[in-house]
Amino acid sequence: SVPYEENAEKKPESGENKSFVRNPEVASGNTAGEVKNRDLRDSTAGEIHSGPGDMEEKNRNLQDSTAGLLVFVFDDGGHNLKDLTPIVNLPFPVTIAVLPGLGYSVKAAELVRQSGKELLLHQPMQAKNLSVDPGPGAIKPGMGYSDIVDLLIDNTNQVGPVVGMNNHEGSLITEDPMAMQAVLEFCRDRGLIFLDSRTTTGTVVPEQAEVLDMEFLERSVFIDNIQERESIVSSIRDGMNIAKNKGSAVLIGHVWCQSIADIILDIYPEILDQGYKITTLTELLNYKESGEESL
């Protein structure tokens, strides 16, 4: 399995399209939690929105897949729209997490929804390295329960409607039981998915979720920590092996990794040929809640 390292998410080095969020600002929003409870038989989450016809036909037949479920999540949307274009044009379902408070946060979220892809709030949280600014709208040490809830309302109002959220950075905050209780109760009460990006081995999300009697999802592998083709392909295959053994895998990449869409398209036929189903967090959570994750 993939080691869960603190701050495992590698940041881009430089350049306009690879700018890493240092000062996000938060916004706000109502959520679309009802999607979570949509009956899988009526769900359109697995439909293809673009792409070659033969791939489309293969993906339609993935309902009978037994290899495992794969969910591709792309973090750090909101810096610009250029980086999002190849991601939203992928010919299978993907999930895109948009940061709050950036110049293109609202437009990026609108583009994701218009494309038919799944949308998350990429919620900034403080890392253990206090010199790292997670950006505007971040959950910081010392914030009280109500402060966190108010912040999340603002952020989801700006980016939403969303189906859920995952943490941006957050190795410090995801180890804080009170902070994560606030985050998880916010998600539970609004029917939102929480995806733990697992930037620390000490995350308290599993314990807090158990106390609250709620399901959550977690990252299986970061696929672009090393932004080289061989490493990305290897990481995707790691995710496929995890899905084969455990029933599912959540693979997180980043919109600023400019080669990632083309690399995934190249390996897409292999994924289909081996019988995996590429799906969404919403459908994966529905499988988990119905006890059908073991394929």
Side-chain angles (χ1 to χ4, degrees):
S1 62
V2 179
Y4 294 134
E5 303 175 36
E6 177 184 341
N7 299 327
E9 218 173 330
K10 183 170 180 178
K11 307 163 185 61
E13 311 248 330
S14 61
E16 179 185 350
N17 290 331
K18 292 188 178 182
S19 58
F20 190 68
V21 180
R22 294 298 180 189
N23 295 300
E25 246 170 306
V26 3
S28 9
N30 288 343
T31 56
E34 65 273 7
V35 243
K36 182 170 92 59
N37 299 315
R38 186 185 298 148
D39 188 305
L40 283 180
R41 291 169 298 181
D42 299 325
S43 173
T44 58
E47 289 182 0
I48 306 233
H49 301 284
S50 61
D54 57 336
M55 289 184 177
E56 183 171 327
E57 184 60 34
K58 282 185 179 182
N59 215 43
R60 283 199 194 102
N61 295 330
L62 284 179
Q63 297 174 25
D64 301 324
S65 167
T66 57
L69 304 175
L70 298 176
V71 179
F72 286 93
V73 178
F74 296 92
D75 284 350
D76 292 353
H79 291 286
N80 56 59
L81 299 183
K82 179 182 177 182
D83 290 345
L84 278 180
T85 302
I87 305 299
V88 298
N89 285 334
L90 286 168
F92 47 79
V94 300
T95 302
I96 300 170
V98 173
L99 289 153
L102 303 180
Y104 286 89
S105 294
V106 173
K107 290 183 178 179
E110 290 173 353
L111 177 60
V112 173
R113 283 190 294 268
Q114 289 170 3
S115 73
K117 305 303 188 188
E118 189 174 63
L119 176 64
L120 296 181
L121 168 67
H122 197 30
Q123 174 57 47
M125 300 183 188
Q126 183 61 56
K128 288 181 180 178
N129 182 351
L130 298 180
S131 67
V132 174
D133 182 359
I139 299 174
K140 296 289 190 71
M143 291 180 67
Y145 185 102
S146 61
D147 295 327
I148 293 173
V149 170
D150 289 344
L151 183 69
L152 295 175
I153 290 172
D154 285 343
N155 288 351
T156 52
N157 280 339
Q158 181 189 21
V159 174
V162 295
V163 302
M165 71 177 70
N166 68 335
N167 55 294
H168 170 66
E169 299 286 353
S171 57
L172 182 64
I173 298 302
T174 54
E175 291 188 359
D176 182 330
M178 185 283 295
M180 294 317 298
Q181 178 188 356
V183 171
L184 292 176
E185 285 188 338
F186 178 89
C187 291
R188 181 198 63 186
D189 294 347
R190 290 160 178 80
L192 299 178
I193 297 166
F194 184 78
L195 170 65
D196 186 357
S197 300
R198 292 203 68 113
T199 54
T200 172
T201 57
T203 176
V204 298
V205 169
E207 293 83 359
Q208 290 300 309
E210 184 176 4
V211 169
L212 296 172
D213 192 25
M214 66 178 285
E215 293 280 4
F216 72 99
L217 299 173
E218 59 184 7
R219 167 188 67 85
S220 304
V221 59
F222 283 122
I223 60 178
D224 56 2
N225 276 351
I226 300 174
Q227 296 168 53
E228 297 174 358
R229 180 185 179 83
E230 183 177 342
S231 177
I232 291 173
V233 169
S234 176
S235 295
I236 293 172
R237 289 186 175 135
D238 286 344
M240 292 165 67
N241 287 331
I242 291 170
K244 183 175 291 185
N245 292 327
K246 297 187 175 181
S248 65
V250 177
L251 294 75
I252 295 184
H254 299 82
V255 299
W256 41 255
C257 183
Q258 296 181 0
S259 62
I260 197 165
D262 287 339
I263 293 172
I264 294 174
L265 277 175
D266 287 343
I267 199 173
Y268 182 43
E270 177 184 332
I271 293 172
L272 296 183
D273 289 342
Q274 292 189 24
Y276 291 93
K277 179 175 182 180
I278 301 176
T279 187
T280 60
L281 293 176
T282 300
E283 187 174 23
L284 176 56
L285 188 61
N286 280 331
Y287 270 110
K288 285 174 65 74
E289 289 182 333
S290 64
E292 297 175 10
E293 191 183 2
S294 295
L295 302 177

